Every structure is written in C-alpha cells, then in structure tokens.
C-alpha cells in the first residue's frame, strides 16, 4: 500500500500528464510493485464514488421494482468497479498486438491515478444530486460539463503516456472509452439497473 506522500506524488504526476507535461511520468512508480499499487487508486476514489452511488440509488429505488437501496448500491458499485478494471484487462491482451505493449504498464499506472482524479473532479455534480434532488437538471448540466473536461484531460494523459503520436493515442483513448461503456451498459442490463432519464 502506498504512503500518503507517495499517493500525493502519483496524483500530482497524473495531473501533470493530464495537462500535457511528460515529466509527470517521472513522478509515477512503473515498477511491478508500482503497477499493482496503482490499483489503490480505487480506494482513493471510493469517497466520491460512494456519494455518486448513494445519489443514484436514491433515484433508482424511487421505482418499486428496483429492489432495496442496499441491493442497488452494491450493484452500482460492482458495475463501476468492473468498468474501471475490465477494460484494463482487455488492454493487457490487446496491447502487444497493437504495438504498445512496452507502454502498457505506464498506461495502467497513469490511468489508475488519473481515474481517481477524474472521479474527485466529478464530485460537485454528485453532491448536488445527493443534497438537492430537486436540482437534478442543474446537476445534469454540471455533470455534462465536467464529463467533457474529464474527456479532454484523459485524452491528454493517454496521448502523453502512449507516446506514439496523437493518432495512436486517440485510438487507445477511444478503445478504452468504448470498452468502459460496453462493460457499463452490459452490466447495467445484466444486473437490472435502469438509470432514470
């Protein structure tokens, strides 16, 4: 488990990558231990994730057929965590075939810490939805704006870490985004989670 100082350094490194600065990679641990330790970013992201799950569970359980709040909360957690990890597992298989195998560890480490930052970035919209359900339109608008910003930051991180030019960086970004959406939608359908419009 990384120390608090190490976590701060890794998050700073991920942020620098998101702002297009390649030296952010020097702040990350890309050793075998660093690879596995980067999944601790999930723990770092749990507080804002939990806020989002509670808000969504409150909306979903307004429908009687949705099940108990705890059941919905657990299913939301399973879906989001799977959408985080499973695309990375798929990339492990695809990276050598795509010619980016040498950058796989770099990408996973940077992506994990970057994902934690993105989830914290999305917290204001989740808090607004939780604290003031009547402001759902405003929360949705804020979510869309923050989502757009997160896409730009994630693309930058991917492009810098892959280091093979914008075309390949964009292809990896798009592939991971599509894989995450596929996992999200498939598991929502499989687990009976229907997000209110």
């Amino acid at each position: 488990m990384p120390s608090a100082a190490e976590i701060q350094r890794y998050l700073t490194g991920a942020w620098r990558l998101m702002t297009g600065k390649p030296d952010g990679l020097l702040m990350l641990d890309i050793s075998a231990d660093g690879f596995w330790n980067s999944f601790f970013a999930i723990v770092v992201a749990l507080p804002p994730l939990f806020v989002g799950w509670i808000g969504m569970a409150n909306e979903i359980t307004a429908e009687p057929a949705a099940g108990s709040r705890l059941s919905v909360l657990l299913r939301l957690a399973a879906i989001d965590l799977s959408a985080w990890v499973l695309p990375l597992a798929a990339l492990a298989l695809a990276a050598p075939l795509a010619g980016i195998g040498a950058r796989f560890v770099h990408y996973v480490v940077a992506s994990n810490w970057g994902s934690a930052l993105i989830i914290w970035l999305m917290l204001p919209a989740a808090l607004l939805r939780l604290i003031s359900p009547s402001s759902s339109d405003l929360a949705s608008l804020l979510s869309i704006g923050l989502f757009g910003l997160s896409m730009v930051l994630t693309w930058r991180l991917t492009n810098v870490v892959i280091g093979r030019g914008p075309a390949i960086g964009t292809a990896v970004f798009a592939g991971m985004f599509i894989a995450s959406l596929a996992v999200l939608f498939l598991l929502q359908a499989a687990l009976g989670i229907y997000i209110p419009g």
Side-chain angles (χ1 to χ4, degrees):
M1 184 176 83
S3 68
E6 287 171 329
I7 291 169
Q8 183 176 0
R9 187 174 83 245
Y10 301 153
L11 292 173
T12 302
W15 176 253
R16 290 188 68 76
L17 291 168
M18 287 176 169
T19 56
K21 297 179 175 66
D23 65 356
L25 267 176
L26 301 175
M27 304 180 77
L28 302 178
D29 181 357
I30 56 169
S31 67
D33 285 343
F35 174 84
W36 295 111
N37 283 342
S38 73
F39 287 93
F40 191 78
I42 294 172
V43 177
V44 173
L46 279 178
L49 281 172
F50 196 68
V51 170
W53 296 334
I54 291 173
M56 290 306 303
N58 289 344
E59 290 184 25
I60 292 167
T61 53
E63 298 293 328
S68 72
R69 185 170 281 123
L70 178 60
S71 166
V72 170
L73 194 66
L74 292 175
R75 284 181 278 163
L76 288 169
I79 291 166
D80 278 353
L81 297 179
S82 296
W84 183 322
V85 174
L86 292 181
L88 294 175
L91 183 63
L93 301 174
L97 302 174
I100 56 168
R103 304 301 284 182
F104 172 72
V105 171
H106 302 69
Y107 175 78
V108 171
V109 172
S111 174
N112 280 337
W113 294 113
S115 293
L117 281 176
I118 292 298
I119 290 166
W120 276 98
L121 176 69
M122 300 296 289
L123 180 60
L127 279 172
L128 183 59
R129 187 182 298 272
L130 181 65
I131 294 169
S132 179
S134 61
S135 303
S136 61
D137 288 343
L138 179 58
S140 296
L141 189 61
L142 182 58
S143 291
I144 291 168
L146 292 174
F147 176 76
L149 175 61
S150 74
M151 290 296 95
V152 171
L153 295 175
T154 304
W155 177 84
R156 280 184 170 177
L157 178 144
T158 303
N159 194 46
V160 172
V161 172
I162 296 300
R164 296 279 303 277
I168 293 177
T170 300
V172 173
F173 168 79
M176 293 301 288
F177 180 65
I178 291 166
S180 295
L181 285 182
V183 171
L184 197 69
F185 293 142
L186 286 171
L187 287 181
Q188 282 178 355
L191 296 178
I193 292 292
Y194 302 100
I195 308 296

